[in-house]
Amino acid sequence: METTFYILLHLKTIDGHENFGKFAMGNHKETADNIFRQLKGNSDVTDQCGLHLEFIEMHDNLPYNIKMLSCSLDQLAENVKIITKETFKRFAV
């Protein structure tokens, strides 16, 4: 079975953390990891953080958490810009 990588976006709510976005990063770990390392935020993630970015590996339909970041709304906007730019570079002809 193929391994794929994703960046998930989570928002803290009164009911817990809700997923509100998912970026497909492809199946090359090094490329996906390079993109995640460019993202802004704090790797000291606590339950009190409002916004989370989670780098996961999906293998045999099971998610494996690789890294997490907490970020501010401004950092999230910058992170989406980084992810979009890197994705465009990957698929541009």
Side-chain angles (χ1 to χ4, degrees):
M1 182 130 237
E2 186 174 282
T3 300
T4 53
F5 299 91
Y6 296 93
I7 295 175
L8 302 179
L9 308 178
H10 304 274
L11 174 68
K12 183 180 179 188
T13 68
I14 55 175
D15 295 326
H17 290 274
E18 295 291 326
N19 293 337
F20 71 95
K22 181 178 183 179
F23 292 96
M25 297 286 99
N27 58 3
H28 295 101
K29 185 173 184 171
E30 185 177 323
T31 301
D33 188 55
N34 286 337
I35 293 170
F36 194 83
R37 280 190 273 123
Q38 293 180 53
L39 303 182
K40 314 295 185 221
N42 185 348
S43 60
D44 185 22
V45 177
T46 68
D47 194 44
Q48 303 304 313
C49 301
L51 294 169
H52 293 163
L53 293 106
E54 183 178 8
F55 182 39
I56 64 165
E57 174 181 338
M58 290 292 290
H59 186 70
D60 293 333
N61 291 321
L62 295 172
Y64 297 96
N65 182 305
I66 299 173
K67 297 177 189 172
M68 286 186 79
L69 289 175
S70 64
C71 64
S72 68
L73 188 56
D74 288 337
Q75 289 172 323
L76 178 62
E78 181 66 24
N79 290 339
V80 170
K81 181 179 175 181
I82 291 167
I83 293 167
T84 303
K85 178 181 171 184
E86 292 300 321
T87 301
F88 179 78
K89 283 198 282 188
R90 222 177 48 206
F91 292 108
V93 178

